[in-house]
Amino acid sequence: MKAATTIGDYLIQRLYANRVRHVFGIPGDYVLGFYDKLDKSALKVMTTCDEQGAGFAADAYARVRGLGAVCVTYCVGGLKLANTTAEAFAEKSPVIVISGAPGMKEREKNPLLHHKVREFDTQAKVFKQLTAASTVLSDPQTAFQEIDRVLHTALRFKRPVYVELPRDMVDVPGIPHHRPVELHEKSDPAALRAALDEAVDMINAARRPVILADVEVHRFALQRVLLQLAQRSNIPVAATLLGKSVLSEQHPFYLGVYEGAMGREEVRRYVESSDCVIMLGAFMTDINLGVFTARLDPARCIYATSEKLGIRYHIFEEVRFKDFMRGLARAKLRRRRLESLPRPKPALAFGAAPRAGRRGMSQQRLTIRRLFERLNSFLTADTVVISDVGDALFGAGDLFIHRGTEFLAPAYYTSMGFAIPAAVGAQCANPKLRPLVLVGDGAFQMTGMELATVARYKLNPIVIVLNNGGYGTERPMQDGPYNDVWPWRFHRFPEVLGAGRGFLVETERDLNAALVAAEQHTEGFCLIEAVLDPSDRSPALERLTERMRRHI
Ligand SMILES: Cc1ncc(C[n+]2csc(CCOP(=O)(O)OP(=O)(O)O)c2C)c(N)n1
Ligand SMILES: [Mg+2]
């Protein structure tokens, strides 16, 4: 007779059934039993240096693969995931946060067990605030249903969920013959039809409609549908910074990144002067839309997300984002004449091809503008660009993402420390991708030790540390000694780790040599320390600072 499925086994089965193959985290006694199960399962445990690293890795994994998982011990580990879970919530990344906890029997007389904060449920209460659904698997009668419920929520809303697993429940069987509930959510057909009719009328009557594509197009894997919609109608597409790379930036109808005041002026003007902005999967956030400088009038907008569908001032209930987008892509939209658009031109100032000769390179000291110009010609379809917060993010807005190149960044929540652990997650999620990590010296200090995780699991990202001697982004707003950072010798990290290759880059020529070498060194990671002047800034940060100054 087949042994009954335990709660721990069921959780693992459901993760596997939803394409999860890696679980990031650090063990502890409250979760050791479950770690043993994970170790014996088809899932691979990825031990990181710090729980925050595990959280960021799981977030990036979820962004690339559709679902991610992190597993830690009670409070000392779990509470370190508060920040990464907040980010996953804010930026719509479906991460399953699994935490071990004291057993239900141990809790009976409310003893002072180690790692406990105030009450046994303190951590669960914290995560209730940070997730779309949470559960404590304390009852074998409901445990399987609870696992189904939270997973369903994560997949439906692309948000993180919390699963607490008391250590004495891991091996307890759940109810027999349970069948997992599959996710099949349908729109109300009449509401969908009415919404599509109204949207099509509005778009067809518009003089110059424009699509603004954001993060949910990516999260719901609707990139092809977006492409079809744009190709059938010839309506131009702008992306937000969070949604960057939803569409190849080489398409004739691609406009560029729309970021309000931060973005290029011609993109801003085009979007804001349109009489019909079709916002697909968009977030009305400040950084994403350029720190409150975006001017979009709801009367001219179609606003479709997984949570809300609004057409002008009408709100439609029971219409799924996927169905709406698919419906639009198939609808009778007027096919327009393709205008010549103010498209970004990829800067090839370093020579026409990535490995082209030495034309244009010099002993000039490297600037951030030239760094990004050179990177434009370095990207391939197998690159995933991962930007940390700082000029690594602002500068990357102007990068010219090729067909299939992915772009990951905490462009809304903007927590420093994302990029290096995210490289671990992204490469596990899709081993064909080689991450190109852009990280400031300040952000590197926070999670740079996850390079040890990179080394341990033989991953091979190319990490570029933008070393400008401190918190460069903050200097134009307000400067002081608090913005300085200790001058680490970043390029010597590989020596300390006994893995990878380091490069010190001070001139344009150094950069080119380092990139060519890094491209060839695929056996391990490469760390390129790019020395920049503390007062140097990317054109995007320059634009933002300039326009903010005018607004203050
Ligand atoms: C976790 C976290 N702490 C603080 C901040 C505030 N902050 C935003 S940008 C920045 C400076 C980033 O410095 P660095 O990584 O060196 O990049 P740079 O601005 O120099 O390009 C700081 C401290 C933040 N966004 N996230
Ligand atoms: Mg810096």
Side-chain angles (χ1 to χ4, degrees):
M1 207 179 84
K2 201 169 153 264
T5 306
T6 64
I7 296 174
D9 285 333
Y10 187 73
L11 182 54
I12 290 172
Q13 280 172 20
R14 295 316 297 154
L15 290 176
Y16 191 88
N18 285 289
R19 300 190 66 236
V20 172
R21 296 291 179 272
H22 299 78
V23 177
F24 304 89
I26 296 178
D29 59 346
Y30 289 118
V31 76
L32 276 178
F34 187 60
Y35 257 73
D36 189 45
K37 269 197 188 304
L38 281 173
D39 189 45
K40 291 179 177 139
S41 77
L43 304 182
K44 187 169 161 76
V45 173
M46 304 289 294
T47 311
T48 53
C49 302
D50 185 61
E51 283 84 355
Q52 187 173 227
F56 283 140
D59 179 348
Y61 191 91
R63 291 178 196 214
V64 174
R65 215 176 150 86
L67 190 67
V70 53
C71 181
V72 295
T73 194
Y74 185 54
C75 292
V76 287
L79 292 175
K80 281 205 213 171
L81 295 177
N83 185 49
T84 65
T85 308
E87 173 179 283
F89 187 90
E91 299 192 356
K92 292 220 155 206
S93 179
V95 175
I96 316 292
V97 179
I98 303 166
S99 175
M104 296 316 290
K105 290 236 163 54
E106 292 171 271
R107 303 186 189 200
E108 273 164 12
K109 292 207 175 81
N110 202 17
L112 279 173
L113 290 178
H114 64 289
H115 301 344
K116 191 173 112 184
V117 185
R118 185 186 294 238
E119 304 296 338
F120 279 110
D121 63 354
T122 301
Q123 177 172 285
K125 278 186 184 146
V126 169
F127 277 89
K128 212 172 166 63
Q129 297 294 314
L130 304 174
T131 55
S134 61
T135 186
V136 179
L137 300 176
S138 53
D139 181 357
Q141 290 300 308
T142 56
F144 290 179
Q145 277 170 18
E146 281 295 283
I147 291 170
D148 291 349
R149 177 179 68 83
V150 296
L151 266 171
H152 191 282
T153 306
L155 294 167
R156 160 82 173 80
F157 294 105
K158 312 292 178 199
R159 299 259 204 210
V161 295
Y162 175 74
V163 178
E164 186 168 305
L165 187 50
R167 62 176 160 185
D168 59 0
M169 301 304 286
V170 176
D171 287 318
V172 174
I175 50 167
H177 313 300
H178 172 79
R179 280 179 167 241
V181 183
E182 298 296 338
L183 180 68
H184 288 304
E185 284 204 84
K186 290 238 155 45
S187 300
D188 174 60
L192 177 62
R193 210 173 315 119
L196 284 170
D197 286 349
E198 187 165 339
V200 169
D201 286 349
M202 181 175 169
I203 297 168
N204 281 343
R207 207 172 31 82
R208 220 181 56 176
V210 64
I211 295 168
L212 184 59
D214 202 345
V215 61
E216 282 198 343
V217 174
H218 191 278
R219 299 290 190 269
F220 286 88
L222 291 166
Q223 294 94 328
R224 269 166 192 269
V225 180
L226 172 68
L227 185 66
Q228 192 190 347
L229 171 60
Q231 269 170 344
R232 288 195 56 213
S233 61
N234 276 343
I235 298 175
V237 179
T240 62
L241 196 48
L242 203 56
K244 187 174 166 70
S245 87
V246 289
L247 187 78
S248 162
E249 303 189 343
Q250 279 169 326
H251 273 292
F253 39 70
Y254 179 70
L255 266 172
V257 175
Y258 172 74
E259 313 164 78
M262 218 155 66
R264 291 180 13 255
E265 181 63 22
E266 41 310 356
V267 181
R268 188 180 73 81
R269 220 176 305 124
Y270 196 101
V271 173
E272 290 175 8
S273 67
S274 162
D275 52 346
C276 177
V277 184
I278 309 163
M279 301 176 73
L280 298 175
F283 272 103
M284 305 299 274
T285 68
D286 58 351
I287 293 271
N288 203 28
L289 295 180
V291 193
F292 293 127
T293 50
R295 284 187 210 96
L296 293 171
D297 174 6
R300 291 186 283 120
C301 288
I302 294 174
Y303 182 77
T305 70
S306 65
E307 283 164 40
K308 186 179 155 186
L309 172 62
I311 300 176
R312 292 197 184 100
Y313 293 105
H314 292 162
I315 303 295
F316 291 83
E317 306 287 345
E318 301 304 319
V319 178
R320 297 283 163 259
F321 179 54
K322 253 186 178 173
D323 295 338
F324 182 73
M325 266 200 70
R326 290 205 178 112
L328 261 195
R330 277 190 237 115
K332 287 210 174 83
L333 289 174
R334 183 148 68 85
R335 190 175 163 82
R336 287 154 197 275
R337 205 164 43 80
L338 195 60
E339 304 177 45
S340 73
L341 301 172
R343 279 164 37 73
K345 301 271 176 303
L348 292 175
F350 277 77
R355 263 170 292 192
R358 317 217 144 245
R359 247 185 321 143
M361 280 172 306
S362 70
Q363 293 286 39
Q364 284 273 338
R365 293 203 70 80
L366 187 65
T367 62
I368 192 136
R369 174 197 285 268
R370 294 287 283 170
L371 170 74
F372 279 102
E373 281 175 4
R374 174 64 180 91
L375 291 179
N376 260 332
S377 55
F378 185 71
L379 306 179
T380 73
D382 296 328
T383 315
V384 52
V385 178
I386 307 180
S387 283
D388 215 298
V389 177
D391 228 357
L393 178 62
F394 297 126
D398 282 341
L399 273 181
F400 192 71
I401 300 288
H402 290 223
R403 177 196 299 271
T405 308
E406 299 246 16
F407 177 72
L408 299 181
Y412 163 49
Y413 185 67
T414 54
S415 172
M416 288 161 71
F418 172 78
I420 291 177
V424 174
Q427 211 167 22
C428 291
N430 182 355
K432 283 200 203 111
L433 296 175
R434 187 167 195 200
L436 177 71
V437 176
L438 301 164
V439 56
D441 49 338
F444 186 96
Q445 288 195 132
M446 295 188 179
T447 53
M449 71 275 199
E450 296 299 349
L451 280 179
T453 315
V454 163
R456 172 175 174 172
Y457 294 105
K458 302 197 166 40
L459 304 172
N460 68 353
I462 299 171
V463 177
I464 303 185
V465 183
L466 311 181
N467 187 1
N468 57 2
Y471 301 145
T473 303
E474 307 215 317
R475 292 196 198 278
M477 292 182 236
Q478 182 179 305
D479 204 3
Y482 40 76
N483 284 330
D484 298 339
V485 161
W486 178 256
W488 294 67
R489 295 179 189 179
F490 295 101
H491 67 285
R492 297 187 66 179
F493 242 78
E495 275 172 60
V496 178
L497 286 172
R501 282 193 62 184
F503 303 85
L504 181 65
V505 163
E506 289 174 319
T507 64
E508 294 185 358
R509 188 174 291 176
D510 293 347
L511 173 69
N512 206 59
L515 286 174
V516 170
E519 199 172 33
Q520 282 158 12
H521 180 78
T522 52
E523 308 87 83
F525 76 88
C526 292
L527 191 154
I528 300 176
E529 175 181 351
V531 179
L532 299 162
D533 190 279
S535 62
D536 188 16
R537 266 173 252 149
S538 71
L541 184 54
E542 199 66 64
R543 286 193 294 264
L544 178 67
T545 315
E546 178 51 34
R547 281 179 210 157
M548 276 175 72
R549 221 178 272 137
R550 270 191 266 145
H551 278 83
I552 291 169

